Amino acid sequence: MPYGGADDTRATSELPAALLEARRRNAAAQFRQAWVLAAPVFPQARDRADWLVAAEAALLLARASGNLRDQAEALRWVHEAMQAAAAASRADLVCAAWIEAARTHARDEDGASAQRAIDEALALVPQLASAEAIESAYSGLTAVYSELGLTSLAVACGRHALEYAELSHEVARVCMARTNFLIIGAVACEQALEPDPPLAQRLLAELRPQLERLRHEVPQVGTPLAQARLLRVAGALAVCEERWAEAADDFTQLTAYAGHLPPQLLNSAWIELGLVLRRLGQHEAALHSGRQAEACNPVPHAPRRWVDLRRLALIRDLTGESQEAFALLRRSQDRRHHIVMSALESRADMLSARLDEQSLRLENEGLRRSNASLRASVADIARLAETDPLTGLLNRRGLEAAWAGLAGPEGQQRLLGMVDIDHFKQVNDRHSHIVGDAVLRQVARLMSHELRGSDRMARYGGEEFAALVVGADPVAGTPVFERLRRVVEQHDWSRIAPGLRLSISIGVVRVARGESLEAAAARADKLLYLAKAAGRNRVLVDEGPGPGAEALA
């Protein structure tokens, strides 16, 4: 059905006072009070066929229910909002309802349903006539992509939301959009520090002036919550720049706003403070912060969502329960990867369907360009399915695909090296599993830089990697693996954790023609265990299926 164009502006003057107050309560994270205020407005507006007010009330009830973690109730109100918005012929409210549906599905970790709702919302954005409506849409999509763990997309949407918010010249609105952009930008920056330092520096260069603008805007807004969010952003950027003392001061001040903070923000403040204090060597204070975070954890028992699992993992890590922290962090990463993949696969299905539809139309140059773009998107999604989310290397599935495609011409040699980080469990036990993940990312990066373009590096599982060297016999290929061993041994690991030193052990075999990855990996693993038994930090090379081995290092 067509929706209104020029009238796609939600005029606050048309809304009852109770609904405006409910909006303010919801923005202040007083979700229960917001729900109570908005609940009677909806049936009153519906009964008098005031569909604009009914849609606004239903949307607010959906948001409040979602923030209160009642996903079934949130979806019920989303349905009511869509019906009322359609009756009012308001594209902006229909778009907002789809975004709220996407957010609810994302909170429920249904990535495929969330992506379908995102696609519906994006299809409506070109119909939105006002900057306010477009800013609201992109702000909502920023939250959805954050829930899904798709940080780069969240940053892009946050950037668009800020651009449109600045057109309004409303300080409170601009302040909120800038805060949201800085928060997701800081997350993206922290994630990029190890695997992609240039990207992290570009993000920091973009975020620093935004933080200074926010410092000028927050006093004009004048609310404790705005000041608290400023401290959160300032602390997060200080962490990215390794200004630990400033970060500790920001997060300490943030915890003092306890009475004004929603539970998730207060809990995050104590966690971040604990992690920074541990960086400063203040272990007793870090333990205290961990216990404070444990006391105010909004999901203290049996968490299911990836964000809740990660939060509890960090708390357990701060309170010295490293084994449980490791298990929780693994579960969090697995769940996040599953959600991201289900969202991307849903997107791939939609793109494939569009390809099939377009292939039936007249072929012209414009259509061919469109198809090429869509195929590239599908290929990107397929590539993500074969990528390890932590290191960016191939995962085991990706290595198997590469293995099948690298049979090569007759006589071409292939060497497979199985690589294991020595004493990796001690890294986790002594320095935390967060440091362990940073180690895995840096080891992957160092070794990848030593390989040629034709070679392949994969994370095989845990702290074990696989390196596939193509077109080299054992004599010529052996120095490649020795370089991998040396670059890890000689790297300065103190930047990740003071006093940290690392080495790797490698077992290398020549791959027989027609040999499966599983069989070759099993042979290389045997040599890897021999290398560890012989003292670690060495390479053992087997020139063929027989038992003879040559020791290096």
Side-chain angles (χ1 to χ4, degrees):
M1 99 176 332
Y3 302 102
D7 296 329
D8 284 350
T9 306
R10 285 178 268 182
T12 56
S13 60
E14 301 176 52
L15 303 180
L19 194 54
L20 293 176
E21 179 60 24
R23 275 186 173 184
R24 284 190 286 271
R25 294 295 183 92
N26 196 65
Q30 298 170 358
F31 308 123
R32 179 64 63 187
Q33 297 95 317
W35 196 99
V36 170
L37 285 166
V41 175
F42 174 78
Q44 294 166 6
R46 180 195 57 197
D47 292 346
R48 64 176 182 268
D50 188 346
W51 298 117
L52 184 147
V53 172
E56 289 278 12
L59 274 171
L60 201 146
L61 288 164
R63 291 186 185 116
S65 298
N67 285 318
L68 292 168
R69 296 178 177 266
D70 190 340
Q71 312 302 4
E73 186 74 358
L75 286 175
R76 182 174 81 83
W77 285 113
V78 163
H79 179 70
E80 295 284 5
M82 284 185 181
Q83 289 188 315
S89 296
R90 294 289 297 263
D92 57 337
L93 298 181
V94 175
C95 180
W98 277 116
I99 290 171
E100 203 54 45
R103 190 181 314 188
T104 303
H105 289 306
R107 284 189 180 121
D108 208 29
E109 299 197 330
D110 184 351
S113 296
Q115 183 60 58
R116 286 191 289 271
I118 289 169
D119 292 336
E120 294 285 352
L122 287 172
L124 288 168
V125 169
Q127 299 183 39
L128 306 183
S130 71
E132 179 184 347
I134 298 172
E135 182 263 314
S136 293
Y138 279 122
S139 291
L141 290 169
T142 302
V144 173
Y145 282 129
S146 297
E147 289 277 354
L148 290 173
L150 293 166
T151 309
S152 60
L153 293 175
V155 169
C157 287
R159 188 180 290 116
H160 287 315
L162 178 56
E163 290 169 0
Y164 283 98
E166 288 178 327
L167 297 176
S168 72
H169 303 295
E170 296 178 27
V171 176
R173 193 177 195 93
V174 175
C175 183
M176 178 60 75
R178 201 180 312 280
T179 300
N180 290 340
F181 175 57
L182 281 163
I183 288 171
I184 191 60
V187 171
C189 183
E190 189 172 0
Q191 290 178 354
L193 283 173
E194 286 296 335
D196 195 346
L199 172 60
Q201 289 305 312
R202 288 196 299 273
L203 281 168
L204 281 171
E206 181 180 11
L207 296 175
R208 288 187 193 106
Q210 297 291 351
L211 177 60
E212 292 311 307
R213 290 181 192 137
L214 186 64
R215 291 189 194 277
H216 292 292
E217 292 163 350
V218 164
Q220 298 177 58
V221 176
T223 66
L225 188 55
Q227 179 63 36
R229 286 172 170 156
L230 171 60
L231 290 168
R232 175 188 182 184
V233 169
L237 289 185
V239 167
C240 291
E241 295 180 312
E242 298 185 352
R243 291 182 283 110
W244 306 116
E246 289 182 37
D249 184 55
D250 288 330
F251 289 126
T252 299
Q253 291 184 62
L254 179 55
T255 60
Y257 281 83
H260 303 282
L261 303 182
Q264 290 88 345
L265 181 51
L266 177 60
N267 183 253
S268 296
W270 281 113
I271 291 172
E272 294 293 342
L273 177 58
L275 295 174
V276 171
L277 290 172
R278 188 164 63 186
R279 278 280 191 174
L280 292 169
Q282 299 177 28
H283 298 290
E284 285 300 319
L287 177 61
H288 172 74
S289 293
R291 287 174 176 157
Q292 291 292 327
E294 188 172 39
C296 66
N297 185 6
V299 188
H301 305 296
R304 188 176 63 87
R305 299 168 63 228
W306 75 268
V307 289
D308 296 332
L309 286 164
R310 184 178 183 277
R311 180 185 297 114
L312 187 56
L314 294 172
I315 292 171
R316 292 288 181 263
D317 192 41
L318 286 171
T319 55
E321 300 166 77
S322 58
Q323 289 303 316
E324 185 178 354
F326 178 74
L328 287 164
L329 195 59
R330 290 290 180 196
R331 285 177 59 199
S332 173
Q333 290 175 340
D334 289 345
R335 291 196 68 83
R336 181 186 177 193
H337 187 246
H338 170 75
I339 298 159
V340 169
M341 290 312 307
S342 63
L344 293 175
E345 285 167 1
S346 174
R347 183 69 172 162
D349 290 343
M350 186 276 292
L351 292 171
S352 297
R354 286 174 60 189
L355 278 173
D356 292 341
E357 179 185 347
Q358 290 187 4
S359 66
L360 299 175
R361 300 177 183 175
L362 292 174
E363 288 205 5
N364 54 40
E365 187 59 30
L367 178 58
R368 281 193 289 272
R369 284 197 299 268
S370 177
N371 281 348
S373 175
L374 289 170
R375 288 191 182 97
S377 296
V378 173
D380 286 344
I381 291 167
R383 178 181 54 79
L384 283 173
E386 296 178 348
T387 302
D388 173 55
L390 179 65
T391 62
L393 299 178
L394 294 174
N395 57 21
R396 185 165 180 170
R397 174 179 172 180
L399 181 61
E400 288 170 348
W403 187 273
L406 285 176
E410 194 69 30
Q412 186 182 50
Q413 298 281 355
R414 280 185 293 165
L415 300 177
L416 176 67
M418 299 304 291
V419 183
D420 193 81
I421 302 174
D422 295 330
H423 301 298
F424 184 71
K425 183 178 182 299
Q426 293 180 13
V427 174
N428 286 327
D429 291 345
R430 292 177 182 174
H431 301 283
S432 87
H433 295 284
I434 311 303
V435 169
D437 280 352
V439 164
L440 290 170
R441 287 192 294 267
Q442 185 63 16
V443 167
R445 189 161 166 249
L446 291 170
M447 293 194 297
S448 295
H449 287 171
E450 295 299 321
L451 297 180
R452 305 163 303 169
S454 60
D455 301 331
R456 298 290 185 272
M457 173 66 70
R459 185 181 176 197
Y460 205 69
E463 67 270 25
E464 190 171 23
F465 298 83
L468 183 61
V469 175
V470 181
D473 59 34
V475 174
T478 293
V480 174
F481 295 98
E482 176 61 15
R483 285 202 307 273
L484 300 187
R485 184 196 67 79
R486 243 188 345 259
V487 74
V488 173
E489 181 188 31
Q490 295 172 359
H491 182 70
D492 179 10
W493 294 99
S494 61
R495 186 174 181 274
I496 292 179
L500 179 63
R501 300 189 66 181
L502 287 177
S503 64
I504 57 175
S505 300
I506 311 176
V508 183
V509 296
R510 181 174 60 186
V511 179
R513 184 157 300 281
E515 186 175 16
S516 69
L517 171 61
E518 184 178 2
R523 292 197 294 117
D525 263 333
K526 290 181 182 178
L527 284 174
L528 171 60
Y529 292 134
L530 289 175
K532 285 184 171 291
R536 296 181 171 81
N537 191 21
R538 64 194 62 227
V539 182
L540 285 185
V541 181
D542 188 348
E543 297 186 359
E550 172 191 1
L552 294 178

